[in-house]
Amino acid sequence: MLYGKENRDEAEFLEPIFGSESEQVDLPKYKLAQQSIEPRVAYQLVQDEMLDEGNARLNLATFCQTYMEPEAVKLMSQTLEKNAIDKSEYPRTTEIENRCVNMIADLWNASEKEKFMGTSTIGSSEACMLGGMAMKFSWRKRAEKLGLDISAKKPNLVISSGYQVCWEKFCVYWDIEMREVPMDKEHMSINLDKVMDYVDEYTIGVVGIMGITYTGRYDDIKALDNLIEEYNKQTDYKVYIHVDAASGG
Ligand SMILES: Cc1ncc(COP(=O)(O)O)c(C=O)c1O
């Protein structure tokens, strides 16, 4: 029943969300306000801006990771304050990273004799940048050794047109010609009948994608590898694959 409360002290105020002084203030969108606002109000404003986007469970654009264990979120937030790049300051974090690199090498069946290396990145874009740079530099080394005039043409990268935009960035930043193998209705991942037409001695590498954001498909890496192995038998200008395994890795 509704009734007058005797002990009003107890619940006179609710924890206000918008009931604060900041509510009276217009906040500029594109510059810092003159006055500060309370952190919880700032949080609420930013959260409200993004209210109708970013639900991973409903968002096919993030088709790989639609759920994460709360413990993973907790661990991530507990490590936000670290400057993990400083390996000497955070030796235990470094050790965990090193274990992860070993686990992945093991998953990829790197042989005991092989000297593998790896690193954590803040996302696939950074991984693609590092992979792309490695391809460019090792191509240059091989090409120079074989006496190719490396300034005669731009080096190129072969990839299906279903690439993620970070590859476009890589090619712009590193002055690489991007050779797109077109996708069509019959080829919703890399077209294996056409891909080798795009390869020449200036090719720094062929990128296989697992998975393609637009179609949800995986490039057939094994078949691509067979094609490249065949090609490499017939030329000194060997070509290698980089797998952009953003979701399929
Ligand atoms: C195939 C592929 N490569 C690269 C990226 C870039 O990843 P990130 O957003 O983690 O930098 C994505 C992201 O969706 C992707 O799907």
PDB file of all heavy atoms in Angstrom, residues 122-156:
ATOM      1  N   ILE A 122      47.600  -5.368 -30.699  1.00  0.00           N
ATOM      2  CA  ILE A 122      46.335  -4.867 -30.145  1.00  0.00           C
ATOM      3  C   ILE A 122      45.149  -5.235 -31.026  1.00  0.00           C
ATOM      4  O   ILE A 122      44.024  -4.895 -30.726  1.00  0.00           O
ATOM      5  CB  ILE A 122      46.357  -3.347 -29.896  1.00  0.00           C
ATOM      6  CG1 ILE A 122      46.816  -2.611 -31.138  1.00  0.00           C
ATOM      7  CG2 ILE A 122      47.209  -2.996 -28.711  1.00  0.00           C
ATOM      8  CD1 ILE A 122      46.448  -1.164 -31.139  1.00  0.00           C
ATOM      9  N   GLY A 123      45.391  -5.925 -32.111  1.00  0.00           N
ATOM     10  CA  GLY A 123      44.286  -6.357 -32.962  1.00  0.00           C
ATOM     11  C   GLY A 123      44.847  -6.896 -34.257  1.00  0.00           C
ATOM     12  O   GLY A 123      46.059  -6.905 -34.469  1.00  0.00           O
ATOM     13  N   SER A 124      43.938  -7.327 -35.121  1.00  0.00           N
ATOM     14  CA  SER A 124      44.402  -7.906 -36.389  1.00  0.00           C
ATOM     15  C   SER A 124      45.045  -6.868 -37.292  1.00  0.00           C
ATOM     16  O   SER A 124      45.935  -7.187 -38.072  1.00  0.00           O
ATOM     17  CB  SER A 124      43.239  -8.531 -37.141  1.00  0.00           C
ATOM     18  OG  SER A 124      42.677  -9.530 -36.360  1.00  0.00           O
ATOM     19  N   SER A 125      44.589  -5.614 -37.212  1.00  0.00           N
ATOM     20  CA  SER A 125      45.191  -4.586 -38.075  1.00  0.00           C
ATOM     21  C   SER A 125      46.690  -4.499 -37.821  1.00  0.00           C
ATOM     22  O   SER A 125      47.487  -4.470 -38.754  1.00  0.00           O
ATOM     23  CB  SER A 125      44.576  -3.213 -37.809  1.00  0.00           C
ATOM     24  OG  SER A 125      43.221  -3.217 -38.113  1.00  0.00           O
ATOM     25  N   GLU A 126      47.054  -4.460 -36.553  1.00  0.00           N
ATOM     26  CA  GLU A 126      48.484  -4.368 -36.243  1.00  0.00           C
ATOM     27  C   GLU A 126      49.203  -5.634 -36.711  1.00  0.00           C
ATOM     28  O   GLU A 126      50.317  -5.572 -37.238  1.00  0.00           O
ATOM     29  CB  GLU A 126      48.687  -4.150 -34.739  1.00  0.00           C
ATOM     30  CG  GLU A 126      50.134  -3.821 -34.424  1.00  0.00           C
ATOM     31  CD  GLU A 126      50.436  -3.767 -32.915  1.00  0.00           C
ATOM     32  OE1 GLU A 126      49.493  -3.742 -32.103  1.00  0.00           O
ATOM     33  OE2 GLU A 126      51.626  -3.766 -32.586  1.00  0.00           O
ATOM     34  N   ALA A 127      48.543  -6.771 -36.534  1.00  0.00           N
ATOM     35  CA  ALA A 127      49.152  -8.030 -36.983  1.00  0.00           C
ATOM     36  C   ALA A 127      49.375  -7.998 -38.492  1.00  0.00           C
ATOM     37  O   ALA A 127      50.421  -8.437 -38.992  1.00  0.00           O
ATOM     38  CB  ALA A 127      48.256  -9.204 -36.599  1.00  0.00           C
ATOM     39  N   CYS A 128      48.388  -7.447 -39.225  1.00  0.00           N
ATOM     40  CA  CYS A 128      48.518  -7.357 -40.689  1.00  0.00           C
ATOM     41  C   CYS A 128      49.652  -6.399 -41.070  1.00  0.00           C
ATOM     42  O   CYS A 128      50.396  -6.659 -42.013  1.00  0.00           O
ATOM     43  CB  CYS A 128      47.201  -6.911 -41.320  1.00  0.00           C
ATOM     44  SG  CYS A 128      45.897  -8.144 -41.145  1.00  0.00           S
ATOM     45  N   MET A 129      49.771  -5.296 -40.341  1.00  0.00           N
ATOM     46  CA  MET A 129      50.867  -4.348 -40.616  1.00  0.00           C
ATOM     47  C   MET A 129      52.209  -5.054 -40.431  1.00  0.00           C
ATOM     48  O   MET A 129      53.104  -4.942 -41.261  1.00  0.00           O
ATOM     49  CB  MET A 129      50.850  -3.143 -39.658  1.00  0.00           C
ATOM     50  CG  MET A 129      49.700  -2.204 -39.809  1.00  0.00           C
ATOM     51  SD  MET A 129      49.574  -1.455 -41.418  1.00  0.00           S
ATOM     52  CE  MET A 129      47.814  -1.292 -41.509  1.00  0.00           C
ATOM     53  N   LEU A 130      52.351  -5.776 -39.315  1.00  0.00           N
ATOM     54  CA  LEU A 130      53.624  -6.447 -39.038  1.00  0.00           C
ATOM     55  C   LEU A 130      53.894  -7.536 -40.070  1.00  0.00           C
ATOM     56  O   LEU A 130      55.011  -7.660 -40.591  1.00  0.00           O
ATOM     57  CB  LEU A 130      53.622  -7.056 -37.626  1.00  0.00           C
ATOM     58  CG  LEU A 130      53.559  -6.063 -36.459  1.00  0.00           C
ATOM     59  CD1 LEU A 130      53.526  -6.804 -35.133  1.00  0.00           C
ATOM     60  CD2 LEU A 130      54.745  -5.106 -36.489  1.00  0.00           C
ATOM     61  N   GLY A 131      52.851  -8.315 -40.384  1.00  0.00           N
ATOM     62  CA  GLY A 131      52.998  -9.371 -41.390  1.00  0.00           C
ATOM     63  C   GLY A 131      53.354  -8.782 -42.743  1.00  0.00           C
ATOM     64  O   GLY A 131      54.227  -9.294 -43.460  1.00  0.00           O
ATOM     65  N   GLY A 132      52.681  -7.682 -43.081  1.00  0.00           N
ATOM     66  CA  GLY A 132      52.929  -7.028 -44.368  1.00  0.00           C
ATOM     67  C   GLY A 132      54.345  -6.477 -44.454  1.00  0.00           C
ATOM     68  O   GLY A 132      55.027  -6.624 -45.468  1.00  0.00           O
ATOM     69  N   MET A 133      54.808  -5.850 -43.365  1.00  0.00           N
ATOM     70  CA  MET A 133      56.175  -5.324 -43.357  1.00  0.00           C
ATOM     71  C   MET A 133      57.180  -6.461 -43.504  1.00  0.00           C
ATOM     72  O   MET A 133      58.165  -6.354 -44.255  1.00  0.00           O
ATOM     73  CB  MET A 133      56.457  -4.587 -42.040  1.00  0.00           C
ATOM     74  CG  MET A 133      55.893  -3.191 -42.002  1.00  0.00           C
ATOM     75  SD  MET A 133      55.668  -2.627 -40.308  1.00  0.00           S
ATOM     76  CE  MET A 133      57.339  -2.608 -39.714  1.00  0.00           C
ATOM     77  N   ALA A 134      56.935  -7.538 -42.797  1.00  0.00           N
ATOM     78  CA  ALA A 134      57.842  -8.694 -42.893  1.00  0.00           C
ATOM     79  C   ALA A 134      57.888  -9.198 -44.330  1.00  0.00           C
ATOM     80  O   ALA A 134      58.963  -9.510 -44.868  1.00  0.00           O
ATOM     81  CB  ALA A 134      57.377  -9.803 -41.949  1.00  0.00           C
ATOM     82  N   MET A 135      56.704  -9.239 -44.985  1.00  0.00           N
ATOM     83  CA  MET A 135      56.661  -9.698 -46.388  1.00  0.00           C
ATOM     84  C   MET A 135      57.447  -8.744 -47.273  1.00  0.00           C
ATOM     85  O   MET A 135      58.213  -9.167 -48.136  1.00  0.00           O
ATOM     86  CB  MET A 135      55.207  -9.745 -46.883  1.00  0.00           C
ATOM     87  CG  MET A 135      54.487 -10.994 -46.485  1.00  0.00           C
ATOM     88  SD  MET A 135      52.939 -11.175 -47.401  1.00  0.00           S
ATOM     89  CE  MET A 135      51.884 -10.022 -46.568  1.00  0.00           C
ATOM     90  N   LYS A 136      57.259  -7.444 -47.060  1.00  0.00           N
ATOM     91  CA  LYS A 136      57.934  -6.472 -47.926  1.00  0.00           C
ATOM     92  C   LYS A 136      59.454  -6.580 -47.781  1.00  0.00           C
ATOM     93  O   LYS A 136      60.186  -6.632 -48.769  1.00  0.00           O
ATOM     94  CB  LYS A 136      57.476  -5.047 -47.608  1.00  0.00           C
ATOM     95  CG  LYS A 136      58.146  -4.030 -48.527  1.00  0.00           C
ATOM     96  CD  LYS A 136      57.653  -2.619 -48.367  1.00  0.00           C
ATOM     97  CE  LYS A 136      58.410  -1.711 -49.346  1.00  0.00           C
ATOM     98  NZ  LYS A 136      58.050  -0.319 -49.275  1.00  0.00           N
ATOM     99  N   PHE A 137      59.920  -6.627 -46.535  1.00  0.00           N
ATOM    100  CA  PHE A 137      61.369  -6.624 -46.323  1.00  0.00           C
ATOM    101  C   PHE A 137      62.010  -7.930 -46.787  1.00  0.00           C
ATOM    102  O   PHE A 137      63.115  -7.928 -47.333  1.00  0.00           O
ATOM    103  CB  PHE A 137      61.708  -6.345 -44.858  1.00  0.00           C
ATOM    104  CG  PHE A 137      61.262  -4.974 -44.411  1.00  0.00           C
ATOM    105  CD1 PHE A 137      60.774  -4.746 -43.131  1.00  0.00           C
ATOM    106  CD2 PHE A 137      61.312  -3.894 -45.294  1.00  0.00           C
ATOM    107  CE1 PHE A 137      60.349  -3.486 -42.731  1.00  0.00           C
ATOM    108  CE2 PHE A 137      60.892  -2.625 -44.909  1.00  0.00           C
ATOM    109  CZ  PHE A 137      60.408  -2.432 -43.631  1.00  0.00           C
ATOM    110  N   SER A 138      61.332  -9.045 -46.558  1.00  0.00           N
ATOM    111  CA  SER A 138      61.974 -10.305 -46.984  1.00  0.00           C
ATOM    112  C   SER A 138      61.909 -10.440 -48.513  1.00  0.00           C
ATOM    113  O   SER A 138      62.832 -10.970 -49.120  1.00  0.00           O
ATOM    114  CB  SER A 138      61.404 -11.527 -46.275  1.00  0.00           C
ATOM    115  OG  SER A 138      60.037 -11.593 -46.469  1.00  0.00           O
ATOM    116  N   TRP A 139      60.832  -9.901 -49.135  1.00  0.00           N
ATOM    117  CA  TRP A 139      60.798  -9.869 -50.613  1.00  0.00           C
ATOM    118  C   TRP A 139      61.985  -9.050 -51.136  1.00  0.00           C
ATOM    119  O   TRP A 139      62.687  -9.465 -52.049  1.00  0.00           O
ATOM    120  CB  TRP A 139      59.486  -9.244 -51.109  1.00  0.00           C
ATOM    121  CG  TRP A 139      59.575  -8.827 -52.550  1.00  0.00           C
ATOM    122  CD1 TRP A 139      59.432  -9.645 -53.642  1.00  0.00           C
ATOM    123  CD2 TRP A 139      59.881  -7.512 -53.053  1.00  0.00           C
ATOM    124  NE1 TRP A 139      59.627  -8.926 -54.800  1.00  0.00           N
ATOM    125  CE2 TRP A 139      59.903  -7.615 -54.466  1.00  0.00           C
ATOM    126  CE3 TRP A 139      60.131  -6.286 -52.463  1.00  0.00           C
ATOM    127  CZ2 TRP A 139      60.175  -6.504 -55.283  1.00  0.00           C
ATOM    128  CZ3 TRP A 139      60.392  -5.194 -53.264  1.00  0.00           C
ATOM    129  CH2 TRP A 139      60.414  -5.313 -54.668  1.00  0.00           C
ATOM    130  N   ARG A 140      62.196  -7.869 -50.531  1.00  0.00           N
ATOM    131  CA  ARG A 140      63.253  -6.974 -51.007  1.00  0.00           C
ATOM    132  C   ARG A 140      64.627  -7.651 -50.925  1.00  0.00           C
ATOM    133  O   ARG A 140      65.421  -7.570 -51.854  1.00  0.00           O
ATOM    134  CB  ARG A 140      63.251  -5.696 -50.164  1.00  0.00           C
ATOM    135  CG  ARG A 140      64.013  -4.560 -50.807  1.00  0.00           C
ATOM    136  CD  ARG A 140      63.741  -3.253 -50.131  1.00  0.00           C
ATOM    137  NE  ARG A 140      64.164  -3.284 -48.745  1.00  0.00           N
ATOM    138  CZ  ARG A 140      63.847  -2.346 -47.847  1.00  0.00           C
ATOM    139  NH1 ARG A 140      63.071  -1.340 -48.194  1.00  0.00           N
ATOM    140  NH2 ARG A 140      64.267  -2.417 -46.609  1.00  0.00           N
ATOM    141  N   LYS A 141      64.838  -8.349 -49.827  1.00  0.00           N
ATOM    142  CA  LYS A 141      66.112  -9.047 -49.624  1.00  0.00           C
ATOM    143  C   LYS A 141      66.302 -10.109 -50.719  1.00  0.00           C
ATOM    144  O   LYS A 141      67.350 -10.193 -51.344  1.00  0.00           O
ATOM    145  CB  LYS A 141      66.073  -9.728 -48.254  1.00  0.00           C
ATOM    146  CG  LYS A 141      67.345  -9.641 -47.464  1.00  0.00           C
ATOM    147  CD  LYS A 141      67.031 -10.148 -46.086  1.00  0.00           C
ATOM    148  CE  LYS A 141      68.218 -10.386 -45.244  1.00  0.00           C
ATOM    149  NZ  LYS A 141      67.814 -10.867 -43.916  1.00  0.00           N
ATOM    150  N   ARG A 142      65.244 -10.905 -50.941  1.00  0.00           N
ATOM    151  CA  ARG A 142      65.330 -11.972 -51.956  1.00  0.00           C
ATOM    152  C   ARG A 142      65.519 -11.380 -53.345  1.00  0.00           C
ATOM    153  O   ARG A 142      66.350 -11.834 -54.128  1.00  0.00           O
ATOM    154  CB  ARG A 142      64.047 -12.824 -51.946  1.00  0.00           C
ATOM    155  CG  ARG A 142      63.829 -13.659 -50.731  1.00  0.00           C
ATOM    156  CD  ARG A 142      62.716 -14.690 -50.960  1.00  0.00           C
ATOM    157  NE  ARG A 142      61.441 -14.119 -51.408  1.00  0.00           N
ATOM    158  CZ  ARG A 142      60.505 -13.649 -50.577  1.00  0.00           C
ATOM    159  NH1 ARG A 142      60.702 -13.679 -49.270  1.00  0.00           N
ATOM    160  NH2 ARG A 142      59.378 -13.148 -51.041  1.00  0.00           N
ATOM    161  N   ALA A 143      64.728 -10.318 -53.636  1.00  0.00           N
ATOM    162  CA  ALA A 143      64.750  -9.736 -54.982  1.00  0.00           C
ATOM    163  C   ALA A 143      66.120  -9.123 -55.284  1.00  0.00           C
ATOM    164  O   ALA A 143      66.645  -9.270 -56.389  1.00  0.00           O
ATOM    165  CB  ALA A 143      63.643  -8.692 -55.109  1.00  0.00           C
ATOM    166  N   GLU A 144      66.675  -8.435 -54.294  1.00  0.00           N
ATOM    167  CA  GLU A 144      67.998  -7.807 -54.499  1.00  0.00           C
ATOM    168  C   GLU A 144      69.056  -8.871 -54.755  1.00  0.00           C
ATOM    169  O   GLU A 144      69.912  -8.725 -55.620  1.00  0.00           O
ATOM    170  CB  GLU A 144      68.383  -6.959 -53.280  1.00  0.00           C
ATOM    171  CG  GLU A 144      67.769  -5.567 -53.341  1.00  0.00           C
ATOM    172  CD  GLU A 144      67.998  -4.763 -52.067  1.00  0.00           C
ATOM    173  OE1 GLU A 144      68.312  -5.381 -51.023  1.00  0.00           O
ATOM    174  OE2 GLU A 144      67.818  -3.524 -52.122  1.00  0.00           O
ATOM    175  N   LYS A 145      68.952  -9.952 -54.014  1.00  0.00           N
ATOM    176  CA  LYS A 145      69.897 -11.062 -54.163  1.00  0.00           C
ATOM    177  C   LYS A 145      69.829 -11.639 -55.581  1.00  0.00           C
ATOM    178  O   LYS A 145      70.830 -12.039 -56.165  1.00  0.00           O
ATOM    179  CB  LYS A 145      69.535 -12.153 -53.152  1.00  0.00           C
ATOM    180  CG  LYS A 145      70.730 -12.691 -52.376  1.00  0.00           C
ATOM    181  CD  LYS A 145      70.231 -13.713 -51.419  1.00  0.00           C
ATOM    182  CE  LYS A 145      71.331 -14.228 -50.530  1.00  0.00           C
ATOM    183  NZ  LYS A 145      70.762 -15.071 -49.479  1.00  0.00           N
ATOM    184  N   LEU A 146      68.609 -11.657 -56.125  1.00  0.00           N
ATOM    185  CA  LEU A 146      68.423 -12.234 -57.474  1.00  0.00           C
ATOM    186  C   LEU A 146      68.705 -11.209 -58.568  1.00  0.00           C
ATOM    187  O   LEU A 146      68.569 -11.486 -59.748  1.00  0.00           O
ATOM    188  CB  LEU A 146      66.986 -12.765 -57.611  1.00  0.00           C
ATOM    189  CG  LEU A 146      66.654 -14.004 -56.772  1.00  0.00           C
ATOM    190  CD1 LEU A 146      65.155 -14.239 -56.712  1.00  0.00           C
ATOM    191  CD2 LEU A 146      67.354 -15.244 -57.330  1.00  0.00           C
ATOM    192  N   GLY A 147      69.041  -9.981 -58.173  1.00  0.00           N
ATOM    193  CA  GLY A 147      69.413  -8.954 -59.142  1.00  0.00           C
ATOM    194  C   GLY A 147      68.238  -8.236 -59.775  1.00  0.00           C
ATOM    195  O   GLY A 147      68.389  -7.582 -60.814  1.00  0.00           O
ATOM    196  N   LEU A 148      67.062  -8.305 -59.168  1.00  0.00           N
ATOM    197  CA  LEU A 148      65.897  -7.603 -59.708  1.00  0.00           C
ATOM    198  C   LEU A 148      66.034  -6.105 -59.456  1.00  0.00           C
ATOM    199  O   LEU A 148      66.484  -5.696 -58.389  1.00  0.00           O
ATOM    200  CB  LEU A 148      64.627  -8.137 -59.024  1.00  0.00           C
ATOM    201  CG  LEU A 148      63.301  -7.641 -59.570  1.00  0.00           C
ATOM    202  CD1 LEU A 148      62.965  -8.348 -60.889  1.00  0.00           C
ATOM    203  CD2 LEU A 148      62.161  -7.896 -58.574  1.00  0.00           C
ATOM    204  N   ASP A 149      65.641  -5.294 -60.448  1.00  0.00           N
ATOM    205  CA  ASP A 149      65.653  -3.850 -60.261  1.00  0.00           C
ATOM    206  C   ASP A 149      64.429  -3.486 -59.414  1.00  0.00           C
ATOM    207  O   ASP A 149      63.324  -3.326 -59.943  1.00  0.00           O
ATOM    208  CB  ASP A 149      65.608  -3.154 -61.632  1.00  0.00           C
ATOM    209  CG  ASP A 149      65.597  -1.638 -61.485  1.00  0.00           C
ATOM    210  OD1 ASP A 149      65.644  -1.147 -60.331  1.00  0.00           O
ATOM    211  OD2 ASP A 149      65.536  -0.945 -62.523  1.00  0.00           O
ATOM    212  N   ILE A 150      64.639  -3.340 -58.125  1.00  0.00           N
ATOM    213  CA  ILE A 150      63.465  -3.182 -57.252  1.00  0.00           C
ATOM    214  C   ILE A 150      62.831  -1.797 -57.335  1.00  0.00           C
ATOM    215  O   ILE A 150      61.730  -1.580 -56.830  1.00  0.00           O
ATOM    216  CB  ILE A 150      63.775  -3.531 -55.768  1.00  0.00           C
ATOM    217  CG1 ILE A 150      64.869  -2.633 -55.210  1.00  0.00           C
ATOM    218  CG2 ILE A 150      64.103  -4.984 -55.571  1.00  0.00           C
ATOM    219  CD1 ILE A 150      64.948  -2.701 -53.695  1.00  0.00           C
ATOM    220  N   SER A 151      63.526  -0.855 -58.005  1.00  0.00           N
ATOM    221  CA  SER A 151      62.909   0.468 -58.133  1.00  0.00           C
ATOM    222  C   SER A 151      62.141   0.607 -59.452  1.00  0.00           C
ATOM    223  O   SER A 151      61.480   1.614 -59.689  1.00  0.00           O
ATOM    224  CB  SER A 151      63.979   1.560 -58.018  1.00  0.00           C
ATOM    225  OG  SER A 151      64.977   1.321 -58.985  1.00  0.00           O
ATOM    226  N   ALA A 152      62.217  -0.408 -60.314  1.00  0.00           N
ATOM    227  CA  ALA A 152      61.560  -0.312 -61.629  1.00  0.00           C
ATOM    228  C   ALA A 152      60.040  -0.316 -61.498  1.00  0.00           C
ATOM    229  O   ALA A 152      59.335   0.316 -62.285  1.00  0.00           O
ATOM    230  CB  ALA A 152      62.014  -1.461 -62.517  1.00  0.00           C
ATOM    231  N   LYS A 153      59.535  -1.041 -60.490  1.00  0.00           N
ATOM    232  CA  LYS A 153      58.089  -1.172 -60.318  1.00  0.00           C
ATOM    233  C   LYS A 153      57.760  -1.154 -58.836  1.00  0.00           C
ATOM    234  O   LYS A 153      58.603  -1.512 -58.015  1.00  0.00           O
ATOM    235  CB  LYS A 153      57.635  -2.535 -60.879  1.00  0.00           C
ATOM    236  CG  LYS A 153      57.048  -2.484 -62.275  1.00  0.00           C
ATOM    237  CD  LYS A 153      56.994  -3.865 -62.882  1.00  0.00           C
ATOM    238  CE  LYS A 153      55.762  -4.643 -62.550  1.00  0.00           C
ATOM    239  NZ  LYS A 153      55.739  -5.956 -63.245  1.00  0.00           N
ATOM    240  N   LYS A 154      56.529  -0.782 -58.531  1.00  0.00           N
ATOM    241  CA  LYS A 154      56.094  -0.870 -57.133  1.00  0.00           C
ATOM    242  C   LYS A 154      55.943  -2.342 -56.770  1.00  0.00           C
ATOM    243  O   LYS A 154      55.395  -3.102 -57.573  1.00  0.00           O
ATOM    244  CB  LYS A 154      54.705  -0.230 -57.023  1.00  0.00           C
ATOM    245  CG  LYS A 154      54.634   1.000 -56.190  1.00  0.00           C
ATOM    246  CD  LYS A 154      53.161   1.342 -55.968  1.00  0.00           C
ATOM    247  CE  LYS A 154      52.999   2.736 -55.464  1.00  0.00           C
ATOM    248  NZ  LYS A 154      51.651   3.066 -55.068  1.00  0.00           N
ATOM    249  N   PRO A 155      56.373  -2.749 -55.583  1.00  0.00           N
ATOM    250  CA  PRO A 155      56.045  -4.114 -55.157  1.00  0.00           C
ATOM    251  C   PRO A 155      54.527  -4.250 -54.986  1.00  0.00           C
ATOM    252  O   PRO A 155      53.844  -3.259 -54.728  1.00  0.00           O
ATOM    253  CB  PRO A 155      56.774  -4.273 -53.822  1.00  0.00           C
ATOM    254  CG  PRO A 155      57.158  -2.914 -53.389  1.00  0.00           C
ATOM    255  CD  PRO A 155      57.175  -2.026 -54.587  1.00  0.00           C
ATOM    256  N   ASN A 156      54.027  -5.452 -55.157  1.00  0.00           N
ATOM    257  CA  ASN A 156      52.571  -5.626 -55.049  1.00  0.00           C
ATOM    258  C   ASN A 156      52.189  -6.715 -54.061  1.00  0.00           C
ATOM    259  O   ASN A 156      53.008  -7.572 -53.701  1.00  0.00           O
ATOM    260  CB  ASN A 156      51.977  -5.924 -56.429  1.00  0.00           C
ATOM    261  CG  ASN A 156      52.456  -7.254 -56.991  1.00  0.00           C
ATOM    262  OD1 ASN A 156      52.053  -8.319 -56.531  1.00  0.00           O
ATOM    263  ND2 ASN A 156      53.362  -7.206 -57.980  1.00  0.00           N
TER     264      ASN A 156
END
